[in-house]
Amino acid sequence: MYNEINWDGIDLQQPPPEEEPARQYYFIKLLKGWMDGIIKEKGRKLSCCVNTFGCQMNSRDSEKILGILKCIGYEETGSENADLVVFNTCTVRENANLKVYGRIGQLKKYKSKNPGMVIMLCGCMMQEKEAVAKIKRSYRNVDVVFGTHNIYKFAELLAMKVLDSEDSGKMVVDVWEDAEIIVENLPAERKYPFKSGVNIMYGCNNFCSYCIVPYVRGRERSRKPEDIVKEIEGLVKDGVSEVMLLGQNVNSYGKNLEEPLSFTGLLEKIEQIDGLRRIRFMTSHPKDLSDELIEFMGRSEKLCKHIHLPLQSGSSRLLKIMNRHYTKEEYLLLVEKIRKAVPDIAITTDIIAGFPGETEEDFNETLDVIEKAGYDNAFTFIYSKRTGTPAATMDCQIPENVVKERFDRLLKVVHCTTARKAEQYLGKISDVLVEEVNAQEEGYVTGRTGQNYLVHFKGDKSLIGSIVPVKLCESRGFYYYGELAGE
Ligand code: 5AD
Ligand code: SF4
């Protein structure tokens, strides 16, 4: 485990070792020494700010970066006016990229006042050649660019920049096409002490025709079950009661392991970890959701009663062009099967409006599935053209005004169905994991039910991290006001 490292045993007089993660521990130690010197010189630690764009995968990667930074001795700050700023970027939709360019531009004002400031960019957008070329061309204030496959090398990349005695001012760019190894046992700094994301696999093999993820996150690679279980056991010892198992398509976990194991097989091992109270997972591709998993969801004591099952479109014709490998009817049958096995399960989804060639009939099929599936929540997206994906060059891209109009209709239907759904739980008592003090309302705390609904109720910070019964009194869409239920 990471916290068992013998730092004294690392000899900085020797060249860095080749093997990982020993090589990174070497650079962390080197940077710790450098930081000690700075503290003596400046009388303070250097500050850092790691900002995440995009999904939970990125949030977890950022926790790993922050873990390394804290270990080196950086002090975290919420402001981008810091000595080191890291942007962990997303590129799933075009506006994600635009947001990042805007934010890098805004850093110029800080760097002009603090020329020693280091700016590092990583994440999915950096896997795109055009994005990196643009950064090299137009954003010379950036110091280091790396990708999704070499995040574990963070300490080494930082050392290359800050320990460069000649300080050539050159941008360090290190982006890999794919990953050869999964490096275990690096530090991570959790946002919440009581819950944590846990990567179970990386990459995606599905190549949905609109999606850039397989190009920027590479092919599917599963972590070994023993490494996952060991990590969760360590987290539980450290106070974690809920884990979110992360992967682009968790249902295909384990297929490429030396000793293949199904996702359900992995869940069965995790279920047995003493002290772990709740297990979540994200995301499930409908085509790979097995009967074995549905049956396990019905009997598991720890799996939360929530599944995220992206629909994307309700039109079988479009689903085929999207390369999703299921029809509208198969999807609805799957929903029925899940509800039968786990009656009070919450189902959420992702939906794209305006995929190339989408007709009014196709769109109405999507609205029809929303009505029939009875979603608890739906994340809705306007189709965004991603260069390099098959959909980007398809004929019949839908005009913006048509998509906007459909998107508005989609939102209305989603709001109506989810509000109706949320009313079903009114008056019920639900176990809530308390996450934080409510910043907007004094005297209130906020937590999540197993079904992943947010609940605000009267309470104080002593409740944070505990799981308590709360009566759901008033529904406001995807969140409730509740009352702590008597013992
Ligand atoms: N345009 C719009 N939405 C997209 N998604 C993925 N690619 C695109 C795209 N090109 C959505 C899908 C996916 C979610 C994470 O993002 O709905 O499930
Ligand atoms: Fe993208 Fe499809 Fe893979 Fe999800 S399953 S990450 S939508 S390619």
Side-chain angles (χ1 to χ4, degrees):
M1 286 296 285
Y2 167 75
N3 24 15
E4 290 154 15
I5 298 164
N6 171 15
W7 291 104
D8 292 337
I10 300 174
D11 184 356
L12 295 180
Q13 303 308 317
Q14 298 293 319
E18 287 298 321
E19 71 281 4
E20 299 290 2
R23 186 174 173 86
Q24 299 313 311
Y25 299 159
Y26 176 97
F27 284 105
I28 291 174
K29 182 167 175 177
L30 202 60
L31 287 162
K32 271 174 189 267
W34 166 77
M35 182 65 90
D36 288 344
I38 291 199
I39 295 170
K40 273 199 198 112
E41 185 192 315
K42 292 191 186 250
R44 67 167 179 95
K45 288 181 170 182
L46 295 182
S47 59
C48 72
C49 176
V50 182
N51 277 339
T52 315
F53 301 79
C55 66
Q56 281 163 326
M57 227 30 137
N58 266 16
S59 300
R60 183 63 184 152
D61 284 345
S62 292
E63 290 185 348
K64 293 176 187 167
I65 291 171
L66 197 60
I68 296 171
L69 285 169
K70 286 265 176 99
C71 196
I72 293 167
Y74 276 90
E75 194 158 61
E76 191 186 2
T77 157
S79 159
E80 286 173 7
N81 187 6
D83 296 302
L84 171 67
V85 173
V86 185
F87 283 161
N88 189 1
T89 64
C90 170
T91 187
V92 77
R93 285 169 289 276
E94 175 72 20
N95 54 5
N97 290 34
L98 299 177
K99 231 190 271 177
V100 169
Y101 290 127
R103 293 276 286 277
I104 311 170
Q106 284 170 15
L107 294 180
K108 276 188 193 145
K109 62 176 184 278
Y110 299 131
K111 195 156 182 168
S112 62
K113 288 200 189 114
N114 176 10
M117 177 183 185
V118 175
I119 301 174
M120 300 176 84
L121 306 180
C122 62
C124 295
M125 187 177 150
M126 299 307 121
Q127 292 294 139
E128 288 184 288
K129 286 195 177 73
E130 305 76 42
V132 174
K134 182 166 172 171
I135 286 159
K136 281 188 184 161
R137 232 180 14 247
S138 313
Y139 295 89
R140 302 296 314 166
N141 57 337
V142 172
D143 298 285
V144 183
V145 171
F146 58 105
T148 55
H149 301 302
N150 55 348
I151 280 208
Y152 70 87
K153 267 188 69 178
F154 181 82
E156 183 170 353
L157 292 162
L158 180 61
M160 271 165 83
K161 184 71 208 174
V162 299
L163 303 182
D164 175 6
S165 53
E166 291 173 12
D167 192 16
S168 57
K170 253 177 98 180
M171 196 185 289
V172 175
V173 179
D174 192 10
V175 180
W176 303 353
E177 293 267 309
D178 220 328
E180 282 143 38
I181 48 169
I182 297 178
V183 177
E184 299 287 348
N185 283 330
L186 282 165
E189 179 77 17
R190 293 194 306 280
K191 186 169 171 208
Y192 296 99
F194 48 85
K195 69 171 191 177
S196 180
V198 173
N199 298 103
I200 63 164
M201 59 192 299
Y202 302 93
C204 181
N205 288 356
N206 289 309
F207 290 94
C208 301
S209 62
Y210 50 82
C211 187
I212 193 112
V213 169
Y215 305 90
V216 296
R217 287 260 170 195
R219 296 295 67 71
E220 277 177 16
R221 282 149 285 135
S222 297
R223 283 178 73 194
K224 289 191 196 122
E226 53 272 28
D227 288 334
I228 298 169
V229 168
K230 207 163 121 196
E231 178 178 347
I232 300 176
E233 283 170 346
L235 288 167
V236 170
K237 265 199 209 126
D238 201 30
V240 164
S241 48
E242 176 182 302
V243 290
M244 164 75 92
L245 309 177
L246 296 170
Q248 307 296 347
N249 177 16
V250 291
N251 300 116
S252 68
Y253 171 82
K255 287 185 183 152
N256 60 354
L257 286 170
E258 259 171 49
E259 288 175 51
L261 176 74
S262 70
F263 179 51
T264 311
L266 175 71
L267 283 173
E268 282 179 1
K269 287 182 195 285
I270 297 174
E271 174 102 1
Q272 281 159 28
I273 298 175
D274 275 343
L276 181 66
R277 304 273 305 274
R278 280 179 164 188
I279 307 168
R280 298 184 184 276
F281 58 83
M282 176 105 126
T283 290
S284 288
H285 195 307
K287 81 174 162 65
D288 294 314
L289 195 100
S290 65
D291 287 349
E292 188 196 20
L293 176 60
I294 295 175
E295 187 268 326
F296 183 73
M297 283 196 288
R299 72 181 150 88
S300 162
E301 307 252 303
K302 296 185 180 175
L303 262 186
C304 286
K305 300 212 178 315
H306 169 222
I307 187 160
H308 187 64
L309 202 61
L311 168 70
Q312 313 301 2
S313 166
S315 153
S316 299
R317 187 186 78 84
L318 277 196
L319 285 167
K320 188 149 200 236
I321 306 172
M322 286 176 163
N323 196 29
R324 292 289 291 176
H325 297 280
Y326 54 84
T327 61
K328 173 188 180 185
E329 290 71 27
E330 282 162 350
Y331 183 94
L332 284 170
L333 266 179
L334 187 62
V335 167
E336 205 180 304
K337 216 181 323 177
I338 298 170
R339 288 208 190 281
K340 207 163 154 203
V342 197
D344 45 355
I345 196 162
I347 304 183
T348 57
T349 200
D350 291 342
I351 293 166
I352 299 175
F355 181 83
E358 183 186 68
T359 62
E360 200 47 33
E361 290 73 45
D362 293 320
F363 182 67
N364 284 330
E365 298 274 19
T366 301
L367 299 184
D368 188 44
V369 176
I370 298 174
E371 292 285 350
K372 291 191 168 128
Y375 291 118
D376 293 76
N377 201 6
F379 300 92
T380 48
F381 307 105
I382 288 181
Y383 167 73
S384 171
K385 198 185 206 182
R386 307 312 290 124
T387 309
T389 64
T393 49
M394 285 178 189
D395 294 338
C396 335
Q397 302 282 329
I398 310 291
E400 211 179 301
N401 59 330
V402 177
V403 183
K404 280 255 163 64
E405 190 275 327
R406 280 186 195 156
F407 187 71
D408 289 344
R409 261 192 291 158
L410 179 63
L411 276 184
K412 276 197 194 120
V413 174
V414 165
H415 279 152
C416 280
T417 39
T418 53
R420 222 185 306 138
K421 185 80 194 179
E423 279 181 14
Q424 288 184 6
Y425 302 104
L426 279 179
K428 300 226 160 87
I429 293 179
S430 212
D431 281 343
V432 170
L433 170 57
V434 186
E435 296 193 345
E436 55 206 356
V437 168
N438 192 321
Q440 271 90 45
E441 247 164 315
E442 219 189 305
Y444 277 76
V445 289
T446 299
R448 273 180 198 276
T449 67
Q451 278 111 332
N452 212 29
Y453 280 84
L454 275 177
V455 187
H456 306 303
F457 64 100
K458 274 197 184 131
D460 60 37
K461 65 172 192 264
S462 66
L463 289 173
I464 292 175
S466 53
I467 297 178
V468 290
V470 177
K471 186 172 176 190
L472 308 177
C473 302
E474 199 187 323
S475 151
R476 303 264 179 98
F478 205 68
Y479 67 93
Y480 291 98
Y481 277 94
E483 277 168 17
L484 198 57
E487 255 86 88

